[in-house]
Amino acid sequence: MTAACEPVSQARPYYPGLARIGDSYQLFMPLCPTDGLLEVTVRDGQAAGKAPAWWRVTGVKDQAGLSEFLVLGDDGPFLETTGKAAARPPVPAEIVVELRQSDRGGASDVNTLYVKLAAVPSYPRGADIRTIRYTTGTISSDGDLATPEEMRQRSECAIGGPNPGAAPRLQPATSLRPGAYDRVKKATLNTDAVTWMNVYSAARPDEDIASHVCDNGPADGAIVAALGRGVSWQGKTDDGAWDWRRFIWNYVGAYGTISAADAIGQVDAKLGCGHYPRGDIEITRVGRVGLPPLPGVDRQLLFCERGEQQDEEVAFCTLLLARRDILSRVVVKAPTEDEALTSARALTGDAAEALART
């Protein structure tokens, strides 16, 4: 996974597994200390094309209490689900399990498990999920079965992955105000808010801090916004290809242990760095930009950055808005600061209006 400056995923060696306990199918997914879960999709492995999902859940209610163990078909830990549990047919004979996992810094990866149910080991009700063996593929010396600990040892955490010391600061669900997720959805920009670019990704669950400017992170006090959602747009070149130089992201999340205004204040305190490495981009200038007070907003901040990527100049302008517990962030990437700032200012009214609906 990459830092939250670009919506790019990199493959990570994760090995989920499946076992049957009584009448339920137990899924184990190794998670590094820096990882979260955004979506789970289970499809019929024998269905041609993009068949409807047998089970699809998105967003986790309690990011701080996320477990590595899930029961297929259990909607309880999730914010949204496709279809009603009572209407689901039996589990297909062959399934594809897709896990979209987050680095809790704005990037995500999909890890996949293909399973024939006939090959899934079966255990009696009450078996210890922490010690039984799961079907995984071919990672253990004993066929395709492995314990949770064996799966962890073969996943990125155990082979030089993220340092546990860099684990993000999370908020328990009990700290959030009632109705926070509905307010996050209301504050997220509609896809038609950006008419001069193409939709890259419609609104979906995401996890991130308020901003990564100047290498901001957990060590600086940055806290991951809960119940986050993101939507993005990308420009195209004259020949119709995607333009890597032009991108817009909107991210919205909730705070409970602090206010959204406090989250912006934490970012504001980091802006004096001047330059820093942002993924594969070397940022050479960071500066605040003036912005008239916006109605219905508790705190606002606009800043721009300039740097170089692939031997070309690029610029980012970031708008942060807070209203009580909800944070809205708009980031614009463009070849020049003037272009990025023009787009950021053009979206200021829409972002503030959406936030005011909360």
Side-chain angles (χ1 to χ4, degrees):
M1 295 180 187
T2 57
C5 12
E6 301 285 342
V8 175
S9 298
Q10 294 180 342
R12 296 175 70 143
Y14 276 100
Y15 299 97
L18 192 70
R20 181 169 181 168
I21 300 180
D23 295 329
S24 300
Y25 287 94
Q26 179 76 51
L27 177 71
F28 173 75
M29 50 173 188
L31 292 173
C32 291
T34 53
D35 291 342
L37 180 66
L38 300 175
E39 299 175 359
V40 181
T41 303
V42 179
R43 303 184 188 278
D44 187 339
Q46 295 178 311
K50 295 184 178 180
W54 175 82
W55 185 52
R56 185 171 186 268
V57 285
T58 60
V60 174
K61 293 177 182 177
D62 186 2
Q63 57 180 191
L66 177 63
S67 171
E68 293 179 301
F69 299 91
L70 295 173
V71 175
L72 292 194
D74 179 11
D75 302 336
F78 301 95
L79 292 164
E80 297 188 19
T81 182
T82 300
K84 296 181 179 180
R88 290 189 194 111
V91 184
E94 298 180 17
I95 59 174
V96 177
V97 181
E98 297 174 351
L99 303 169
R100 189 163 77 88
Q101 294 175 239
S102 162
D103 71 348
R104 288 175 166 159
S108 63
D109 293 314
V110 175
N111 290 284
T112 303
L113 174 68
Y114 177 82
V115 177
K116 293 184 178 181
L117 294 191
V120 174
S122 183
Y123 302 91
R125 190 186 306 272
D128 188 347
I129 59 176
R130 298 165 298 178
T131 59
I132 62 173
R133 301 176 75 81
Y134 296 70
T135 184
T136 64
T138 55
I139 68 167
S140 74
S141 58
D142 185 18
D144 65 349
L145 301 181
T147 65
E149 184 56 31
E150 288 171 331
M151 284 183 267
R152 286 193 192 97
Q153 291 302 315
R154 291 167 174 83
S155 292
E156 185 175 272
C157 299
I159 55 175
N163 184 344
R169 299 177 63 182
L170 305 176
Q171 305 175 95
T174 53
S175 71
L176 304 177
R177 294 176 57 200
Y181 184 57
D182 288 337
R183 292 194 298 279
V184 166
K185 291 195 290 184
K186 289 178 181 178
T188 305
L189 289 176
N190 294 326
T191 53
D192 59 4
V194 178
T195 58
W196 58 96
M197 288 190 188
N198 301 88
V199 176
Y200 181 84
S201 174
R204 63 179 186 173
D206 203 353
E207 289 183 314
D208 206 355
I209 59 176
S211 174
H212 295 260
V213 66
C214 297
D215 273 338
N216 188 34
D220 305 294
I223 297 175
V224 176
L227 312 177
R229 286 168 63 84
V231 58
S232 58
W233 300 261
Q234 186 171 9
K236 288 193 173 183
T237 61
D238 292 339
D239 61 2
W242 290 107
D243 189 347
W244 59 268
R245 302 169 303 165
R246 290 179 170 88
F247 228 100
I248 295 176
W249 303 266
N250 175 221
Y251 175 72
V252 180
Y255 285 89
T257 56
I258 61 173
S259 69
D262 289 338
I264 293 180
Q266 190 273 326
V267 173
D268 198 11
K270 287 287 296 182
L271 289 183
C273 69
H275 61 86
Y276 71 101
R278 177 174 177 154
D280 65 342
I281 307 168
E282 186 65 31
I283 297 295
T284 56
R285 178 189 177 278
V286 180
R288 295 176 183 83
V289 178
L291 187 67
L294 297 168
V297 173
D298 297 338
R299 187 161 187 168
Q300 61 191 52
L301 177 65
L302 177 62
F303 60 90
C304 292
E305 308 166 71
R306 287 206 302 260
E308 187 174 283
Q309 182 181 26
Q310 299 181 26
D311 297 324
E312 294 192 36
E313 291 187 1
V314 293
F316 298 86
C317 288
T318 299
L319 171 70
L320 295 175
L321 303 177
R323 179 178 170 85
R324 294 192 289 266
D325 59 331
I326 304 300
L327 172 93
S328 178
R329 179 186 71 201
V330 175
V331 179
V332 180
K333 178 185 180 184
T336 68
E337 185 173 329
D338 285 345
E339 182 179 335
L341 186 56
T342 297
S343 291
R345 283 179 167 154
L347 291 170
T348 297
D350 287 340
E353 183 179 340
L355 191 61
R357 293 196 291 264
T358 65

